[in-house]
């Protein structure tokens, strides 16, 4: 199945290749779990939550009231897209009957104009296209279009595509060039229209995407108390150089703008996107590949505003950024985009789902305090579903297409960006065979590469050298090691544990360190500590190197003298002092020492809902 963001214009530096992830590898096993657990779970929850009933009630097949948010229809379309990618991956026919039912239902709900959105049609018909900042009509249509295109590519099934095209035709009649000016409060339609253009070859869809991108930043939305920055309507896209406002909206918009560049080659668009990417990733990205530091407005904060415990870090934001970074990679090349994608895949996104594939985090903080109570916005445990259920279906559709992000080709090389056990089909202009990748990554750094079949003379394989391994493996300026593959090549990446400090302007992290191993970020979880030791009372001893035991790393930590003093207060019935006089640091050896297990951040919360933290206070090495 063709990967997303495949430019038809020749602007793209890289073009996606077909890869097959082997089921015993980390990413391949995740895809298998997604197929067997996550997608069926999402299908069932569409029933339980009322999403399907919202359609049925409009054709007289349900007496239930409308349930869910205004944009609940989009959950159905994301699940259909997940099913489509799974069909393309495995050829499954498991969901044929379900697709017949739900697509037929959507077709019956669609009105003669082409419009279909259950909340508007069944609850507030007077709001049709009247409150674009809130009603999400174009956002919902965008997900319908993406699902329809994916399904047609995967199976040749075009019934949903016919529905989507009729709705898009309505959009052209209402908001096309020379008609009413309007943009959606939640970007998404832009990248969907570009993808529809690629799939159908119709230039008018690209023109409509361009129009909506050009209209942003001119005050068309009624922004109210949230302000224009929340909606990314504060500046025209060619002038916006910083990531602001609602994080998911900003990142979806950026994916669409980069898609437009991939089709038009307009240098101003790329210049703006490069500046935005630098701002988002050099000043506003959490170490786990998460985005959005403010619960208020689900928004980006100021530069270097990255509190661990108050991180909103919505799962959908990491998914949206992966989609944007992928498009930037296609547009310009360079390992830094794939470095970020890998960070997101193995940390923020992986942590969003439990080991069963059926429970999810909406937000992904990097620290959970023992007394945290904000269950609505940051639950202490993963939940099987949410009232605003955007994240679980988004996870399902992303994981089903992970294989499409592994490798690309240009005129001369095959480039491997994401390491996984995989078989990659060589494109006809570079050979006739398969590039085999065999690896235990990220647990180990050995990557074996071999060509089975014929490869054209002079064709090289470009292997990404992650930034954290540049000191041990030579790489070209773009961060890739180019090899003549021959019968085989072994790449050895250094996945030794390493301590990481934050930029000094990240006030929340001063004096703290995080532990990484390869692309994996680690955390300390209360479940691994004695009952009388709290995560928040530990200080890491950097003079003792971490010791590996499988996926677990063992650290040496101290329980500080101040904590001991507070414990003494408690023993005498006194309330521990909130503040104490400053004095000299306790000499080495005066605080208790213990071994502390650290686990991959992606695995936390699978045993108990206790405290956790990524960034730990540390002694000076």
């Amino acid at each position: 199945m063709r990967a997303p963001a495949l430019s038809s214009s020749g602007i793209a530096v890289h073009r996606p290749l077909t890869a097959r992830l082997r089921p015993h590898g980390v990413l391949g096993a995740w895809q298998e779990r997604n197929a067997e657990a996550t997608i069926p779970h999402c299908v069932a929850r569409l029933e339980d939550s009322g999403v399907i009933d919202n359609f049925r009630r409009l054709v007289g097949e349900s007496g239930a009231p409308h349930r869910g948010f205004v944009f609940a229809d989009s959950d159905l379309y994301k699940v259909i897209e997940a099913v489509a990618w799974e069909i393309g991956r495995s050829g499954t026919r498991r969901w044929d009957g379900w697709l017949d039912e739900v697509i037929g239902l959507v077709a019956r709900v669609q009105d003669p104009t082409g419009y279909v959105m259950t909340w508007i049609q069944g609850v507030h018909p007077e709001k049709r296209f009247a409150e674009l900042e809130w009603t999400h009509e174009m956002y919902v249509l965008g997900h319908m279009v993406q699902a329809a295109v994916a399904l047609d590519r995967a199976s040749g099934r075009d019934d949903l595509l016919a529905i989507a095209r009729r709705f898009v035709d309505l959009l052209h009649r209402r908001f096309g060039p020379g008609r009413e000016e309007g943009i959606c409060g939640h970007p998404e339609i832009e990248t969907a229209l570009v993808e529809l253009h690629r799939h159908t070859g119709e230039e008018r869809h690209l023109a409509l995407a361009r129009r909506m991108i050009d209209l942003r930043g001119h005050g068309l939305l009624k922004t109210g108390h949230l302000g224009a920055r929340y909606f990314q309507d504060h500046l025209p896209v060619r002038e916006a150089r910083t990531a602001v406002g609602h994080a998911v909206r900003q990142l979806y918009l950026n994916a669409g703008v980069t898609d437009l560049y991939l089709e038009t080659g307009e240098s101003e668009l790329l210049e703006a996107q490069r500046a935005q990417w630098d701002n988002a990733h050099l000043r506003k990205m959490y170490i786990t590949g998460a985005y959005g530091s403010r619960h208020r407005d689900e928004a980006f904060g100021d530069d270097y505003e990255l509190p661990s415990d108050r991180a909103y870090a919505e799962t959908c934001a990491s998914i949206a950024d992966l989609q944007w970074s992928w498009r930037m990679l296609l547009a310009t090349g360079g390992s830094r985009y794939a470095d970020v994608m890998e960070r997101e895949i193995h940390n923020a996104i992986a942590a969003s789902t439990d080991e069963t594939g059926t429970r999810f985090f909406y937000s992904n903080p990097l620290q959970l305090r023992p007394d945290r109570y904000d269950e609505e916005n940051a639950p202490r445990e993963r939940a099987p579903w949410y009232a605003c259920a955007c994240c679980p279906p988004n996870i399902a559709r992303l994981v089903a297409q992970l294989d499409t992000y592994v490798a690309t080709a240009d005129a001369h090389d095959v480039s491997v960006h994401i390491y996984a056990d995989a078989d990659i089909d060589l494109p006809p202009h570079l050979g006739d065979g398969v590039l085999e990748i065999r690896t235990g990554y990220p647990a180990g750094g050995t990557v074996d590469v071999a060509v089975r079949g014929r490869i054209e003379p002079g064709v090289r394989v470009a292997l990404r050298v992650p930034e954290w391994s540049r000191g041990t493996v030579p790489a070209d300026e773009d961060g890739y090691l180019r090899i003549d593959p021959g019968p085989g090549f072994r790449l050895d990446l250094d996945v030794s544990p390493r301590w990481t400090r934050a930029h000094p302007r990240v006030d929340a992290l001063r004096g703290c360190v995080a532990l990484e191993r390869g692309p994996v970020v680690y955390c300390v979880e209360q479940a691994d500590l004695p009952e009388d030791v709290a995560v928040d009372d530990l200080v890491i001893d950097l003079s003792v190197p971490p010791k590996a035991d499988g996926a677990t790393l063992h650290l040496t930590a101290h329980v500080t003298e101040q904590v001991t003093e507070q414990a003494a207060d408690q023993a005498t019935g006194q309330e521990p002092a909130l503040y104490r006089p400053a004095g000299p640091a306790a000499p080495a050896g005066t605080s208790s020492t213990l071994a502390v297990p650290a686990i991959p951040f992606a695995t936390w919360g699978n045993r108990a809902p206790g405290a956790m933290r990524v960034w730990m206070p540390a002694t000076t090495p």
Side-chain angles (χ1 to χ4, degrees), residues 439-447 493 495:
T439 180
Y441 193 85
T446 299
V447 181
L493 300 172
V495 293

Side-chain angles (χ1 to χ4, degrees), residues 472-537:
T472 57
V473 178
D476 293 340
E477 186 176 352
D478 64 354
Y480 288 80
L481 172 66
R482 287 172 171 79
I483 63 168
D484 298 318
F489 178 85
R490 171 164 288 184
L491 173 68
D492 283 310
L493 300 172
D494 182 8
V495 293
S496 301
R498 63 191 187 279
W499 294 109
T500 302
R501 292 189 184 275
H503 190 288
R505 291 187 182 178
V506 185
D507 288 332
L509 303 180
R510 289 185 182 181
C512 292
V513 295
L515 182 62
E516 298 181 88
R517 186 186 190 192
V520 176
V521 175
Y522 278 72
C523 68
V524 174
E525 193 173 11
Q526 188 65 50
D528 290 313
L529 299 179
E531 290 186 5
D532 59 343
V533 177
V535 170
D536 289 344
D537 293 339

Side-chain angles (χ1 to χ4, degrees), residues 3 16 78 105 119 167 190 203 242 316 328-330 357 360 402 414 503 524 567 584:
K78 281 185 277 190
L105 191 55
W119 187 82
F167 199 168
E190 300 83 358
E203 290 291 330
T242 58
C316 285
M328 291 296 289
L329 187 155
L330 297 180
F360 313 93
L402 279 177
V414 174
H503 190 288
V524 174

Side-chain angles (χ1 to χ4, degrees), residues 23 56 134 149 159 265 279 333 371 392 445 464 468 474 503 517 528 577 593 620:
R56 293 192 183 109
W134 293 118
V149 169
D159 47 353
N279 177 258
D371 55 351
R464 180 177 59 89
W468 41 261
H503 190 288
R517 186 186 190 192
D528 290 313
T593 302
T620 302

Side-chain angles (χ1 to χ4, degrees), residues 132-203:
L132 293 177
E133 56 275 0
W134 293 118
T135 52
H136 285 63
E137 289 150 286
M138 298 184 198
Y139 168 85
V140 170
L141 172 57
H143 280 300
M144 178 197 285
V145 168
Q146 288 186 301
V149 169
L151 191 58
D152 194 29
R153 287 178 181 168
S155 65
R157 179 170 185 159
D158 64 358
D159 47 353
L160 184 60
L161 183 62
I163 297 169
R165 293 178 76 168
R166 285 195 289 271
F167 199 168
V168 171
D169 286 345
L170 172 61
L171 218 60
H172 281 286
R173 296 193 300 272
R174 181 73 180 258
F175 298 104
R179 301 179 186 273
E180 182 180 343
E181 294 184 342
I183 59 174
C184 189
H186 196 309
E188 215 286 334
I189 186 64
E190 300 83 358
T191 198
L193 286 170
V194 176
E195 203 65 27
L196 185 61
H197 154 71
R198 292 171 182 151
H199 190 61
T200 65
E202 294 186 36
E203 290 291 330

Side-chain angles (χ1 to χ4, degrees), residues 3 30 55 62 91 120 146 150 186 188 215 250 270 332 392 403 422 445 473:
W30 194 359
F55 287 87
S62 172
I120 294 289
Q146 288 186 301
H186 196 309
E188 215 286 334
L215 288 174
Q250 176 72 82
L270 183 59
T332 67
D403 51 311
V473 178

